[in-house]
Amino acid sequence: MGVATVSANIHPGAASFVTKKGKILINNKWSDAASGKTFATYDPATGEVLAHVAEGDKADIDRAVAAARKAFEPNSPWRKMTASERGRLIWKFADLLEQNTEEFATLEAMDNGKPLTVARAADVPLAVDILRYMAGWATKIEGNTIPISVPYAPGAKFFVYTRREPIGVVGQIIPWNFPLLMAAWKLAPALATGCTVVLKPAEQTPLSALRLGELVVEAGFPEGVVNIVPGFGETAGAALTAHPDVDKIAFTGSTEVGKLILHAAAGNLKKVSLELGGKSPNVIFSDADQKGAIQGAASAIFFNQGQCCCAGSRLYIEKSIFDNVVEGISDQAKKIKVGPGLDPSTQMGPLVSEEQLNRVCGYLESGFSEGATAAAGGKKHGDKGYFVEPTVLVNTNPKMKVVQEEIFGPVVTATPFTDVEDVVKQGNDNIYGLAAGIWTKDISKAHRMAELLGAGTVWINCYNIFDAAMPFGGYKQSGWGREMGHDALDLYLQKKSVCTML
Ligand code: NAP
Ligand code: MG
Protein backbone atom coordinates (compact mmCIF):
# COMPACT_ATOMS: atom_id res chain seq x y z
CA MET A 1 0.00 0.00 0.00
CA GLY A 2 1.66 3.24 -1.13
CA VAL A 3 0.86 6.77 -0.06
CA ALA A 4 -0.14 9.08 -2.86
CA THR A 5 0.70 12.77 -2.85
CA VAL A 6 -1.51 15.53 -4.25
CA SER A 7 -0.18 16.62 -7.58
CA ALA A 8 -3.39 17.13 -9.51
CA ASN A 9 -4.29 20.48 -10.97
CA ILE A 10 -7.54 21.27 -9.24
CA HIS A 11 -10.38 22.16 -11.62
CA PRO A 12 -10.64 25.97 -11.49
CA GLY A 13 -14.44 25.94 -11.17
CA ALA A 14 -14.29 23.62 -8.15
CA ALA A 15 -11.36 25.52 -6.64
CA SER A 16 -13.29 28.79 -6.81
CA PHE A 17 -16.58 27.22 -5.70
CA VAL A 18 -15.12 26.23 -2.33
CA THR A 19 -13.90 29.78 -1.67
CA LYS A 20 -17.48 31.10 -1.73
CA LYS A 21 -19.78 30.66 1.22
CA GLY A 22 -22.35 27.96 0.45
CA LYS A 23 -25.89 29.30 0.71
CA ILE A 24 -29.48 28.12 0.88
CA LEU A 25 -31.54 27.86 -2.31
CA ILE A 26 -35.19 28.87 -1.94
CA ASN A 27 -37.37 30.10 -4.83
CA ASN A 28 -34.31 30.04 -7.12
CA LYS A 29 -32.58 32.61 -4.90
CA TRP A 30 -29.54 32.08 -2.68
CA SER A 31 -29.62 33.33 0.88
CA ASP A 32 -27.90 33.01 4.24
CA ALA A 33 -29.53 31.05 7.06
CA ALA A 34 -32.14 33.05 8.98
CA SER A 35 -29.94 32.61 12.07
CA GLY A 36 -26.88 33.85 10.16
CA LYS A 37 -25.02 30.72 11.31
CA THR A 38 -22.61 28.72 9.16
CA PHE A 39 -20.84 25.40 9.53
CA ALA A 40 -17.59 24.09 8.13
CA THR A 41 -17.09 21.19 5.76
CA TYR A 42 -13.70 19.46 5.93
CA ASP A 43 -11.21 17.99 3.51
CA PRO A 44 -11.11 14.35 4.65
CA ALA A 45 -7.59 13.90 3.25
CA THR A 46 -6.16 16.51 5.62
CA GLY A 47 -8.81 17.28 8.24
CA GLU A 48 -8.58 20.95 7.28
CA VAL A 49 -11.56 23.22 6.67
CA LEU A 50 -12.60 23.13 3.03
CA ALA A 51 -15.54 25.54 2.89
CA HIS A 52 -18.15 27.32 4.99
CA VAL A 53 -21.82 26.73 4.39
CA ALA A 54 -25.03 28.36 5.67
CA GLU A 55 -26.48 26.32 8.52
CA GLY A 56 -30.16 26.07 7.70
CA ASP A 57 -32.55 25.15 10.50
CA LYS A 58 -36.28 25.14 11.21
CA ALA A 59 -36.86 28.75 10.09
CA ASP A 60 -35.20 28.08 6.73
CA ILE A 61 -37.00 24.75 6.31
CA ASP A 62 -40.31 26.57 6.93
CA ARG A 63 -39.47 29.07 4.21
CA ALA A 64 -38.36 26.33 1.80
CA VAL A 65 -41.49 24.24 2.41
CA ALA A 66 -43.69 27.30 1.84
CA ALA A 67 -41.88 27.92 -1.47
CA ALA A 68 -42.30 24.28 -2.51
CA ARG A 69 -46.00 24.40 -1.55
CA LYS A 70 -46.57 27.56 -3.60
CA ALA A 71 -44.79 25.98 -6.57
CA PHE A 72 -47.17 23.01 -6.28
CA GLU A 73 -50.37 25.09 -6.33
CA PRO A 74 -52.78 24.09 -9.12
CA ASN A 75 -52.08 27.06 -11.37
CA SER A 76 -48.37 27.39 -10.76
CA PRO A 77 -46.01 27.39 -13.77
CA TRP A 78 -44.79 23.92 -12.70
CA ARG A 79 -48.28 22.42 -12.49
CA LYS A 80 -49.28 23.99 -15.79
CA MET A 81 -46.23 22.66 -17.57
CA THR A 82 -46.93 19.73 -19.93
CA ALA A 83 -45.31 16.38 -19.24
CA SER A 84 -43.21 16.81 -22.37
CA GLU A 85 -41.94 20.22 -21.21
CA ARG A 86 -41.12 18.75 -17.81
CA GLY A 87 -39.20 15.91 -19.43
CA ARG A 88 -37.22 18.30 -21.61
CA LEU A 89 -36.33 20.45 -18.63
CA ILE A 90 -34.99 17.43 -16.73
CA TRP A 91 -33.04 16.42 -19.85
CA LYS A 92 -31.53 19.92 -20.04
CA PHE A 93 -30.59 19.65 -16.35
CA ALA A 94 -28.80 16.36 -17.18
CA ASP A 95 -26.97 18.00 -20.10
CA LEU A 96 -25.73 20.83 -17.86
CA LEU A 97 -24.50 18.32 -15.30
CA GLU A 98 -22.72 16.32 -17.98
CA GLN A 99 -21.06 19.46 -19.36
CA ASN A 100 -19.68 20.12 -15.89
CA THR A 101 -18.53 16.56 -15.19
CA GLU A 102 -14.97 17.52 -14.28
CA GLU A 103 -16.04 20.22 -11.84
CA PHE A 104 -18.55 17.95 -10.10
CA ALA A 105 -16.08 15.05 -9.93
CA THR A 106 -13.54 17.39 -8.35
CA LEU A 107 -16.02 18.74 -5.80
CA GLU A 108 -16.96 15.16 -4.83
CA ALA A 109 -13.29 14.25 -4.41
CA MET A 110 -12.63 17.34 -2.31
CA ASP A 111 -15.69 17.14 -0.06
CA ASN A 112 -16.15 13.38 0.30
CA GLY A 113 -12.55 12.24 -0.22
CA LYS A 114 -13.33 9.68 -2.93
CA PRO A 115 -10.87 9.24 -5.80
CA LEU A 116 -11.42 11.81 -8.55
CA THR A 117 -11.01 9.04 -11.13
CA VAL A 118 -13.94 7.17 -9.57
CA ALA A 119 -16.17 10.24 -9.28
CA ARG A 120 -15.48 11.03 -12.94
CA ALA A 121 -16.20 7.49 -14.13
CA ALA A 122 -19.09 6.55 -11.86
CA ASP A 123 -20.71 9.20 -9.65
CA VAL A 124 -21.25 11.90 -12.26
CA PRO A 125 -22.22 9.71 -15.26
CA LEU A 126 -24.64 7.68 -13.10
CA ALA A 127 -26.22 10.94 -11.88
CA VAL A 128 -26.60 12.18 -15.47
CA ASP A 129 -28.08 8.84 -16.46
CA ILE A 130 -30.81 8.71 -13.83
CA LEU A 131 -31.89 12.23 -14.79
CA ARG A 132 -32.16 11.20 -18.46
CA TYR A 133 -33.92 7.94 -17.61
CA MET A 134 -36.49 9.75 -15.48
CA ALA A 135 -36.85 12.58 -18.04
CA GLY A 136 -38.16 9.90 -20.40
CA TRP A 137 -40.74 8.71 -17.88
CA ALA A 138 -42.37 12.16 -17.49
CA THR A 139 -44.53 11.53 -20.59
CA LYS A 140 -45.35 7.93 -19.70
CA ILE A 141 -47.17 8.26 -16.41
CA GLU A 142 -50.53 6.76 -17.24
CA GLY A 143 -53.60 5.50 -15.45
CA ASN A 144 -55.98 2.85 -16.72
CA THR A 145 -59.67 2.19 -17.30
CA ILE A 146 -61.37 -0.42 -15.14
CA PRO A 147 -64.60 -2.35 -15.85
CA ILE A 148 -66.65 -2.55 -12.64
CA SER A 149 -69.77 -4.54 -11.74
CA VAL A 150 -71.53 -3.18 -8.68
CA PRO A 151 -73.82 -5.78 -7.06
CA TYR A 152 -76.08 -3.22 -5.36
CA ALA A 153 -76.54 -1.13 -8.52
CA PRO A 154 -77.95 -3.66 -11.00
CA GLY A 155 -78.16 -2.35 -14.54
CA ALA A 156 -76.19 0.81 -13.81
CA LYS A 157 -73.25 1.61 -16.01
CA PHE A 158 -70.06 3.24 -14.84
CA PHE A 159 -66.93 4.57 -16.42
CA VAL A 160 -63.95 4.19 -14.10
CA TYR A 161 -60.43 5.38 -14.71
CA THR A 162 -57.36 6.00 -12.58
CA ARG A 163 -55.04 8.99 -12.51
CA ARG A 164 -51.52 8.87 -11.15
CA GLU A 165 -50.87 12.21 -9.53
CA PRO A 166 -47.78 13.68 -7.87
CA ILE A 167 -47.75 13.35 -4.08
CA GLY A 168 -46.91 17.02 -3.63
CA VAL A 169 -44.22 18.62 -1.51
CA VAL A 170 -41.41 16.17 -0.92
CA GLY A 171 -38.64 16.36 1.69
CA GLN A 172 -35.48 14.55 0.64
CA ILE A 173 -32.66 13.78 3.07
CA ILE A 174 -29.46 12.29 1.72
CA PRO A 175 -26.17 10.90 3.07
CA TRP A 176 -22.53 11.69 2.40
CA ASN A 177 -21.27 8.53 0.68
CA PHE A 178 -22.44 9.46 -2.85
CA PRO A 179 -23.48 13.08 -2.35
CA LEU A 180 -24.22 13.99 -5.98
CA LEU A 181 -25.59 10.61 -7.01
CA MET A 182 -27.96 10.43 -4.03
CA ALA A 183 -29.22 13.92 -4.88
CA ALA A 184 -29.85 12.79 -8.47
CA TRP A 185 -31.55 9.52 -7.41
CA LYS A 186 -33.89 11.60 -5.29
CA LEU A 187 -34.52 14.61 -7.54
CA ALA A 188 -34.98 12.74 -10.85
CA PRO A 189 -38.16 10.76 -10.05
CA ALA A 190 -39.62 13.59 -7.95
CA LEU A 191 -39.28 16.00 -10.86
CA ALA A 192 -40.44 13.49 -13.49
CA THR A 193 -43.66 12.96 -11.55
CA GLY A 194 -44.23 16.70 -11.00
CA CYS A 195 -43.56 16.97 -7.27
CA THR A 196 -41.75 19.89 -5.66
CA VAL A 197 -38.75 19.34 -3.42
CA VAL A 198 -36.89 20.48 -0.33
CA LEU A 199 -33.53 18.70 -0.32
CA LYS A 200 -31.23 18.49 2.70
CA PRO A 201 -27.73 17.26 1.89
CA ALA A 202 -25.49 15.64 4.52
CA GLU A 203 -23.56 18.04 6.73
CA GLN A 204 -20.26 16.37 5.75
CA THR A 205 -20.77 16.82 2.01
CA PRO A 206 -23.07 19.70 1.03
CA LEU A 207 -21.00 21.14 -1.83
CA SER A 208 -22.04 19.16 -4.91
CA ALA A 209 -25.73 19.55 -4.02
CA LEU A 210 -25.24 23.32 -3.80
CA ARG A 211 -23.49 23.42 -7.18
CA LEU A 212 -26.35 21.28 -8.51
CA GLY A 213 -28.71 23.98 -7.23
CA GLU A 214 -26.99 26.47 -9.53
CA LEU A 215 -27.78 24.15 -12.45
CA VAL A 216 -31.42 23.91 -11.32
CA VAL A 217 -31.65 27.68 -11.76
CA GLU A 218 -29.65 27.67 -15.01
CA ALA A 219 -31.82 24.92 -16.51
CA GLY A 220 -34.89 27.08 -15.90
CA PHE A 221 -36.98 25.15 -13.36
CA PRO A 222 -39.72 27.47 -12.05
CA GLU A 223 -39.01 28.98 -8.67
CA GLY A 224 -39.81 26.84 -5.65
CA VAL A 225 -39.66 23.53 -7.53
CA VAL A 226 -36.26 22.58 -6.08
CA ASN A 227 -35.15 24.11 -2.79
CA ILE A 228 -31.91 23.10 -1.11
CA VAL A 229 -31.26 23.64 2.59
CA PRO A 230 -27.87 22.55 3.94
CA GLY A 231 -27.77 22.02 7.70
CA PHE A 232 -27.70 19.40 10.43
CA GLY A 233 -29.90 16.35 10.67
CA GLU A 234 -31.00 17.03 14.23
CA THR A 235 -32.28 20.53 13.30
CA ALA A 236 -32.93 21.04 9.58
CA GLY A 237 -33.52 17.34 8.88
CA ALA A 238 -35.80 16.87 11.86
CA ALA A 239 -37.78 20.03 11.02
CA LEU A 240 -38.31 18.82 7.45
CA THR A 241 -39.39 15.36 8.60
CA ALA A 242 -41.86 16.67 11.15
CA HIS A 243 -43.23 19.47 8.96
CA PRO A 244 -47.03 19.28 8.70
CA ASP A 245 -47.04 20.66 5.15
CA VAL A 246 -44.61 18.09 3.73
CA ASP A 247 -46.43 15.23 1.97
CA LYS A 248 -43.59 12.76 1.73
CA ILE A 249 -40.09 12.12 3.02
CA ALA A 250 -37.51 10.21 1.01
CA PHE A 251 -34.51 9.29 3.12
CA THR A 252 -31.21 7.53 2.58
CA GLY A 253 -28.92 6.95 5.54
CA SER A 254 -28.61 4.87 8.67
CA THR A 255 -31.31 2.48 9.87
CA GLU A 256 -31.17 4.24 13.24
CA VAL A 257 -32.11 7.63 11.75
CA GLY A 258 -34.60 5.91 9.41
CA LYS A 259 -36.53 4.82 12.51
CA LEU A 260 -36.46 8.38 13.91
CA ILE A 261 -37.86 9.59 10.62
CA LEU A 262 -40.75 7.17 10.82
CA HIS A 263 -41.70 8.51 14.23
CA ALA A 264 -41.42 12.13 13.12
CA ALA A 265 -43.49 11.44 10.00
CA ALA A 266 -46.37 10.06 12.07
CA GLY A 267 -47.66 13.55 12.90
CA ASN A 268 -49.32 14.11 9.53
CA LEU A 269 -48.83 10.52 8.29
CA LYS A 270 -46.66 11.71 5.44
CA LYS A 271 -45.55 8.99 3.06
CA VAL A 272 -42.07 7.65 3.75
CA SER A 273 -39.52 5.83 1.63
CA LEU A 274 -36.28 4.63 3.20
CA GLU A 275 -33.01 3.40 1.79
CA LEU A 276 -31.03 2.25 4.82
CA GLY A 277 -28.04 0.24 5.87
CA GLY A 278 -26.77 -3.13 4.80
CA LYS A 279 -24.42 -5.96 5.70
CA SER A 280 -24.46 -7.78 2.43
CA PRO A 281 -23.27 -11.40 2.09
CA ASN A 282 -20.96 -12.11 -0.82
CA VAL A 283 -20.72 -15.85 -1.48
CA ILE A 284 -17.88 -17.55 -3.35
CA PHE A 285 -18.37 -21.22 -4.32
CA SER A 286 -15.44 -23.51 -5.10
CA ASP A 287 -16.62 -23.80 -8.72
CA ALA A 288 -16.34 -20.05 -9.32
CA ASP A 289 -13.80 -18.40 -11.59
CA GLN A 290 -11.51 -17.77 -8.63
CA LYS A 291 -9.47 -14.93 -10.08
CA GLY A 292 -12.58 -13.01 -11.10
CA ALA A 293 -14.29 -13.74 -7.79
CA ILE A 294 -11.31 -12.49 -5.79
CA GLN A 295 -11.14 -9.25 -7.74
CA GLY A 296 -14.89 -8.83 -7.58
CA ALA A 297 -15.06 -9.51 -3.85
CA ALA A 298 -12.23 -7.05 -3.14
CA SER A 299 -13.91 -4.29 -5.08
CA ALA A 300 -17.29 -5.20 -3.55
CA ILE A 301 -15.94 -4.12 -0.17
CA PHE A 302 -13.20 -1.59 -0.94
CA PHE A 303 -15.07 0.50 -3.54
CA ASN A 304 -15.82 3.96 -2.13
CA GLN A 305 -13.68 3.14 0.94
CA GLY A 306 -16.32 0.61 1.95
CA GLN A 307 -18.82 3.42 2.46
CA CYS A 308 -21.54 1.78 0.40
CA CYS A 309 -24.85 0.70 1.85
CA CYS A 310 -24.62 -2.39 -0.38
CA ALA A 311 -20.93 -3.14 0.29
CA GLY A 312 -20.13 -6.87 0.18
CA SER A 313 -18.98 -6.77 3.79
CA ARG A 314 -19.61 -10.39 4.79
CA LEU A 315 -17.62 -12.67 2.59
CA TYR A 316 -18.56 -16.38 2.69
CA ILE A 317 -16.07 -18.70 1.02
CA GLU A 318 -16.55 -22.44 0.43
CA LYS A 319 -14.23 -24.34 2.77
CA SER A 320 -12.05 -26.04 0.16
CA ILE A 321 -10.92 -22.69 -1.31
CA PHE A 322 -11.05 -20.58 1.84
CA ASP A 323 -7.30 -20.12 2.37
CA ASN A 324 -6.61 -19.39 -1.30
CA VAL A 325 -9.34 -16.80 -1.60
CA VAL A 326 -8.46 -15.07 1.66
CA GLU A 327 -4.87 -14.86 0.50
CA GLY A 328 -5.95 -13.48 -2.88
CA ILE A 329 -8.18 -10.80 -1.39
CA SER A 330 -5.58 -9.88 1.21
CA ASP A 331 -2.99 -9.46 -1.55
CA GLN A 332 -5.38 -7.16 -3.39
CA ALA A 333 -6.05 -5.20 -0.19
CA LYS A 334 -2.32 -4.70 0.42
CA LYS A 335 -1.77 -3.45 -3.13
CA ILE A 336 -4.48 -0.79 -3.05
CA LYS A 337 -2.96 2.67 -3.30
CA VAL A 338 -4.43 4.74 -0.49
CA GLY A 339 -4.21 8.51 -0.79
CA PRO A 340 -6.00 11.82 -1.25
CA GLY A 341 -8.93 11.69 -3.67
CA LEU A 342 -7.47 14.40 -5.88
CA ASP A 343 -4.34 12.41 -6.65
CA PRO A 344 -4.94 10.69 -10.01
CA SER A 345 -3.04 7.59 -8.86
CA THR A 346 -5.16 7.09 -5.72
CA GLN A 347 -7.30 3.95 -5.67
CA MET A 348 -8.80 4.38 -2.21
CA GLY A 349 -9.36 7.71 -0.46
CA PRO A 350 -9.93 8.63 3.18
CA LEU A 351 -13.15 8.01 5.07
CA VAL A 352 -15.49 10.96 5.03
CA SER A 353 -15.00 12.29 8.56
CA GLU A 354 -13.19 11.92 11.85
CA GLU A 355 -16.42 10.49 13.28
CA GLN A 356 -16.42 7.72 10.66
CA LEU A 357 -12.72 7.08 11.22
CA ASN A 358 -13.35 6.60 14.93
CA ARG A 359 -16.40 4.45 14.26
CA VAL A 360 -14.54 2.13 11.92
CA CYS A 361 -11.48 1.92 14.20
CA GLY A 362 -13.84 1.18 17.09
CA TYR A 363 -15.26 -1.78 15.14
CA LEU A 364 -11.74 -3.05 14.42
CA GLU A 365 -10.89 -2.94 18.13
CA SER A 366 -14.14 -4.68 18.97
CA GLY A 367 -13.39 -7.45 16.45
CA PHE A 368 -9.85 -7.97 17.75
CA SER A 369 -11.00 -8.00 21.36
CA GLU A 370 -13.46 -10.79 20.49
CA GLY A 371 -10.77 -12.86 18.79
CA ALA A 372 -10.85 -11.84 15.12
CA THR A 373 -7.50 -11.40 13.36
CA ALA A 374 -6.50 -9.33 10.34
CA ALA A 375 -5.25 -11.13 7.22
CA ALA A 376 -4.65 -7.65 5.77
CA GLY A 377 -4.80 -4.12 7.16
CA GLY A 378 -6.44 -3.65 10.54
CA LYS A 379 -5.65 -0.07 11.51
CA LYS A 380 -5.69 3.64 10.75
CA HIS A 381 -3.39 4.66 7.94
CA GLY A 382 -1.01 7.62 8.23
CA ASP A 383 -1.19 10.42 10.76
CA LYS A 384 -3.07 13.02 8.72
CA GLY A 385 -6.61 12.76 7.36
CA TYR A 386 -9.13 9.98 7.93
CA PHE A 387 -7.51 6.99 6.21
CA VAL A 388 -8.05 3.34 7.18
CA GLU A 389 -6.17 0.38 5.74
CA PRO A 390 -8.15 -1.99 3.52
CA THR A 391 -8.85 -4.77 6.00
CA VAL A 392 -9.71 -8.47 5.79
CA LEU A 393 -10.83 -10.05 9.07
CA VAL A 394 -10.72 -13.80 9.69
CA ASN A 395 -11.36 -16.01 12.74
CA THR A 396 -14.71 -14.35 13.27
CA ASN A 397 -17.89 -15.94 14.59
CA PRO A 398 -21.49 -15.12 13.65
CA LYS A 399 -22.23 -13.31 16.91
CA MET A 400 -19.43 -10.74 16.66
CA LYS A 401 -20.38 -7.10 16.11
CA VAL A 402 -18.05 -6.95 13.10
CA VAL A 403 -20.11 -9.71 11.47
CA GLN A 404 -23.55 -8.43 12.47
CA GLU A 405 -23.31 -4.61 12.28
CA GLU A 406 -22.73 -2.22 9.41
CA ILE A 407 -19.16 -0.91 9.69
CA PHE A 408 -19.34 1.39 6.66
CA GLY A 409 -15.61 1.26 6.07
CA PRO A 410 -13.06 -0.85 4.15
CA VAL A 411 -13.45 -3.89 6.38
CA VAL A 412 -14.63 -7.31 5.23
CA THR A 413 -15.10 -10.43 7.33
CA ALA A 414 -14.23 -13.74 5.68
CA THR A 415 -16.03 -16.89 6.89
CA PRO A 416 -15.92 -20.47 5.54
CA PHE A 417 -19.08 -22.42 4.66
CA THR A 418 -19.83 -26.02 3.80
CA ASP A 419 -22.80 -26.05 1.39
CA VAL A 420 -25.78 -24.09 0.02
CA GLU A 421 -27.90 -24.72 3.10
CA ASP A 422 -25.15 -23.54 5.45
CA VAL A 423 -24.38 -20.37 3.51
CA VAL A 424 -28.03 -19.41 3.02
CA LYS A 425 -28.52 -19.74 6.78
CA GLN A 426 -25.44 -17.66 7.56
CA GLY A 427 -26.14 -15.15 4.77
CA ASN A 428 -29.67 -14.49 5.99
CA ASP A 429 -28.66 -14.27 9.65
CA ASN A 430 -28.76 -10.48 9.74
CA ILE A 431 -31.25 -7.64 10.28
CA TYR A 432 -30.38 -6.17 6.88
CA GLY A 433 -31.30 -7.29 3.37
CA LEU A 434 -30.02 -4.80 0.85
CA ALA A 435 -27.82 -6.82 -1.51
CA ALA A 436 -25.98 -10.09 -1.98
CA GLY A 437 -23.32 -11.49 -4.29
CA ILE A 438 -22.93 -15.03 -5.65
CA TRP A 439 -19.88 -16.35 -7.48
CA THR A 440 -20.26 -19.73 -9.23
CA LYS A 441 -20.24 -21.26 -12.70
CA ASP A 442 -23.24 -23.45 -11.81
CA ILE A 443 -26.14 -21.50 -13.26
CA SER A 444 -28.91 -23.40 -11.51
CA LYS A 445 -27.18 -23.12 -8.11
CA ALA A 446 -26.76 -19.39 -8.72
CA HIS A 447 -30.44 -18.82 -9.38
CA ARG A 448 -31.54 -21.08 -6.52
CA MET A 449 -29.32 -18.99 -4.24
CA ALA A 450 -30.72 -15.78 -5.71
CA GLU A 451 -34.17 -16.90 -4.61
CA LEU A 452 -33.08 -18.02 -1.15
CA LEU A 453 -31.10 -14.93 -0.10
CA GLY A 454 -33.23 -12.16 1.44
CA ALA A 455 -31.90 -9.16 -0.44
CA GLY A 456 -33.27 -6.41 -2.69
CA THR A 457 -30.49 -6.87 -5.25
CA VAL A 458 -28.58 -10.08 -6.00
CA TRP A 459 -25.48 -9.88 -8.19
CA ILE A 460 -24.28 -13.10 -9.85
CA ASN A 461 -20.64 -13.14 -10.95
CA CYS A 462 -20.50 -9.37 -10.61
CA TYR A 463 -20.98 -6.79 -7.87
CA ASN A 464 -21.92 -3.10 -7.56
CA ILE A 465 -23.57 -3.00 -10.97
CA PHE A 466 -26.10 -0.17 -11.02
CA ASP A 467 -28.36 1.09 -13.73
CA ALA A 468 -31.06 3.73 -13.75
CA ALA A 469 -33.49 1.08 -15.05
CA MET A 470 -32.77 -1.49 -12.32
CA PRO A 471 -34.74 -1.13 -9.06
CA PHE A 472 -32.66 -0.80 -5.89
CA GLY A 473 -33.81 -1.07 -2.29
CA GLY A 474 -33.97 -3.18 0.79
CA TYR A 475 -35.54 -6.27 2.30
CA LYS A 476 -35.91 -6.38 6.11
CA GLN A 477 -34.41 -3.38 7.94
CA SER A 478 -32.65 -2.11 4.83
CA GLY A 479 -35.61 -0.01 3.89
CA TRP A 480 -38.99 0.65 2.30
CA GLY A 481 -39.51 1.14 -1.41
CA ARG A 482 -37.33 0.88 -4.50
CA GLU A 483 -35.32 3.65 -6.06
CA MET A 484 -34.47 3.66 -9.78
CA GLY A 485 -36.38 1.79 -12.43
CA HIS A 486 -40.05 2.64 -12.94
CA ASP A 487 -40.67 1.51 -9.36
CA ALA A 488 -39.15 4.81 -8.21
CA LEU A 489 -42.03 6.71 -9.81
CA ASP A 490 -44.44 5.01 -7.43
CA LEU A 491 -42.61 6.60 -4.49
CA TYR A 492 -43.72 10.02 -5.75
CA LEU A 493 -47.16 9.26 -7.18
CA GLN A 494 -50.53 8.52 -5.68
CA LYS A 495 -53.41 6.89 -7.47
CA LYS A 496 -56.86 8.37 -7.79
CA SER A 497 -59.91 6.37 -8.93
CA VAL A 498 -62.49 8.41 -10.82
CA CYS A 499 -65.91 6.78 -11.07
CA THR A 500 -68.66 8.24 -13.30
CA MET A 501 -72.21 6.94 -13.64
CA LEU A 502 -73.14 6.95 -17.30
P1 NAP B 1 -27.25 9.50 9.15
O1 NAP B 1 -27.15 10.20 10.44
O2 NAP B 1 -28.32 8.50 8.96
O3 NAP B 1 -27.36 10.64 8.03
C1 NAP B 1 -28.08 10.60 6.83
C2 NAP B 1 -28.84 11.91 6.63
O4 NAP B 1 -29.85 12.05 7.62
C3 NAP B 1 -27.96 13.15 6.77
O5 NAP B 1 -28.41 14.15 5.87
C4 NAP B 1 -28.24 13.54 8.20
O6 NAP B 1 -27.92 14.87 8.52
C5 NAP B 1 -29.71 13.27 8.30
N1 NAP B 1 -30.21 13.14 9.67
C6 NAP B 1 -29.53 12.78 10.79
N2 NAP B 1 -30.35 12.78 11.86
C7 NAP B 1 -31.57 13.16 11.42
C8 NAP B 1 -32.82 13.35 12.05
N3 NAP B 1 -32.99 13.14 13.36
N4 NAP B 1 -33.88 13.73 11.30
C9 NAP B 1 -33.73 13.92 9.98
N5 NAP B 1 -32.56 13.77 9.32
C10 NAP B 1 -31.49 13.38 10.03
O7 NAP B 1 -25.89 8.83 8.79
P2 NAP B 1 -24.47 9.27 9.39
O8 NAP B 1 -24.58 9.69 10.82
O9 NAP B 1 -23.91 10.28 8.49
O10 NAP B 1 -23.70 7.89 9.30
C11 NAP B 1 -23.86 6.92 10.32
C12 NAP B 1 -23.98 5.55 9.74
O11 NAP B 1 -25.10 5.47 8.88
C13 NAP B 1 -22.85 5.09 8.87
O12 NAP B 1 -21.77 4.65 9.58
C14 NAP B 1 -23.50 4.02 8.07
O13 NAP B 1 -23.55 2.83 8.78
C15 NAP B 1 -24.88 4.54 7.87
N6 NAP B 1 -25.04 5.18 6.54
C16 NAP B 1 -25.74 4.53 5.59
C17 NAP B 1 -25.88 5.10 4.34
C18 NAP B 1 -26.61 4.42 3.24
O14 NAP B 1 -26.40 4.74 2.08
N7 NAP B 1 -27.54 3.53 3.53
C19 NAP B 1 -25.31 6.33 4.06
C20 NAP B 1 -24.65 7.01 5.10
C21 NAP B 1 -24.52 6.41 6.31
P3 NAP B 1 -26.44 15.12 9.09
O15 NAP B 1 -25.57 15.05 7.90
O16 NAP B 1 -26.43 16.47 9.67
O17 NAP B 1 -26.15 14.05 10.11
MG1 MG C 1 -25.21 12.16 11.22
Side-chain angles (χ1 to χ4, degrees), residues 99 133 147 213 265 267 276 320 399 402-403 432 450:
Q99 285 155 23
Y133 173 85
L276 307 174
S320 59
K399 295 283 162 264
V402 289
V403 177
Y432 297 113

Side-chain angles (χ1 to χ4, degrees), residues 173-177 200-204 231-234 237-238 241 251-254 257 260-261 275-277 309 355-356 359 406-408:
I173 299 177
I174 55 172
W176 41 257
N177 52 346
K200 191 206 87 67
E203 68 187 70
Q204 297 86 351
F232 298 137
E234 294 75 9
T241 315
F251 170 79
T252 297
S254 60
V257 173
L260 291 178
I261 282 178
E275 206 268 272
L276 307 174
C309 45
E355 190 186 347
Q356 277 306 113
R359 222 180 113 91
E406 181 175 47
I407 298 178
F408 228 63

Side-chain angles (χ1 to χ4, degrees), residues 144-167:
N144 34 22
T145 57
I146 301 169
I148 63 166
S149 332
V150 186
Y152 52 83
K157 279 200 174 298
F158 298 92
F159 168 51
V160 174
Y161 64 95
T162 57
R163 294 173 47 81
R164 292 168 80 209
E165 298 180 346
I167 277 183

Side-chain angles (χ1 to χ4, degrees), residues 453-472:
L453 289 172
T457 298
V458 177
W459 286 296
I460 298 174
N461 295 330
C462 60
Y463 208 93
N464 279 335
I465 299 297
F466 294 96
D467 189 274
M470 192 165 93
F472 181 79

